[in-house]
Amino acid sequence: MSQSAYISLVQGSTVSEIDLAGVQEQLQRYKEQVRLTGQQLGWDYAESAFPYSIEQKPEAEGRWFYLKGTSPQYRYIVVGTGQRSNDEQSVPYIHFVLPDDSTHGDKSKANELCKWIGKQLQAEVRMFNGRTIYYNPRK
């Protein structure tokens, strides 16, 4: 059975809406950050920190894309966006899905990416295990 994690853009988040292009931009920022970290460390950390290529399928029609693993210990992570109603207001979210044939490495990387994107966007992150992390300022 596939597993899901959600990054919800709630009140107090740095952005109020996001689409697939925005998610891909966040992933590119992540790749750039780990590349710079690798430069400081003196080794190619970017390949280890983000062992995926961003792939599109024609049937996705701008609703989702997937991260395809570039090494044997990583396979796929599916990423999409959407909106749900919550107390009569619309809440945009980013949806990370681990298909049935995903590896433990995929789950670890998806957790890391969810936390990183959630922190950057000051969002509410519901992890694969059902726990919620609040990066947004709450009063």
Side-chain angles (χ1 to χ4, degrees):
M1 186 170 152
S2 64
Q3 298 178 352
S4 295
Y6 296 91
I7 302 170
S8 301
L9 303 176
V10 293
Q11 184 177 4
S13 295
T14 58
V15 295
S16 59
E17 290 186 15
I18 196 159
D19 58 0
L20 289 179
V23 176
Q24 289 179 359
E25 181 181 312
Q26 289 294 320
L27 292 173
Q28 293 299 333
R29 288 181 61 208
Y30 177 80
K31 286 171 62 172
E32 179 63 19
Q33 183 177 359
V34 296
R35 186 189 67 76
L36 292 172
T37 301
Q39 275 183 335
Q40 291 177 336
L41 296 174
W43 67 291
D44 191 17
Y45 180 60
E47 283 297 315
S48 298
F50 194 80
Y52 296 98
S53 63
I54 298 173
E55 306 283 332
Q56 295 273 348
K57 285 201 172 193
E59 63 266 16
E61 299 175 9
R63 295 176 304 173
W64 56 271
F65 63 89
Y66 68 99
L67 304 175
K68 182 178 180 184
T70 56
S71 66
Q73 56 266 52
Y74 302 100
R75 291 192 186 135
Y76 300 102
I77 301 172
V78 180
V79 182
T81 58
Q83 292 198 359
R84 68 174 178 270
S85 296
N86 188 12
D87 297 330
E88 296 183 19
Q89 78 182 58
S90 180
V91 178
Y93 64 87
I94 304 168
H95 188 189
F96 280 75
V97 179
L98 295 171
D100 292 335
D101 61 343
S102 293
T103 64
H104 290 291
D106 290 327
K107 187 171 186 176
S108 296
K109 284 297 172 189
N111 276 327
E112 184 178 335
L113 292 171
C114 285
K115 289 177 183 178
W116 190 86
I117 292 173
K119 190 172 185 176
Q120 297 301 308
L121 300 178
Q122 294 183 349
E124 181 180 301
V125 181
R126 181 162 183 188
M127 303 302 293
F128 295 102
N129 62 7
R131 294 182 180 164
T132 303
I133 302 172
Y134 300 96
Y135 291 108
N136 59 316
R138 299 185 311 159
K139 296 182 183 196

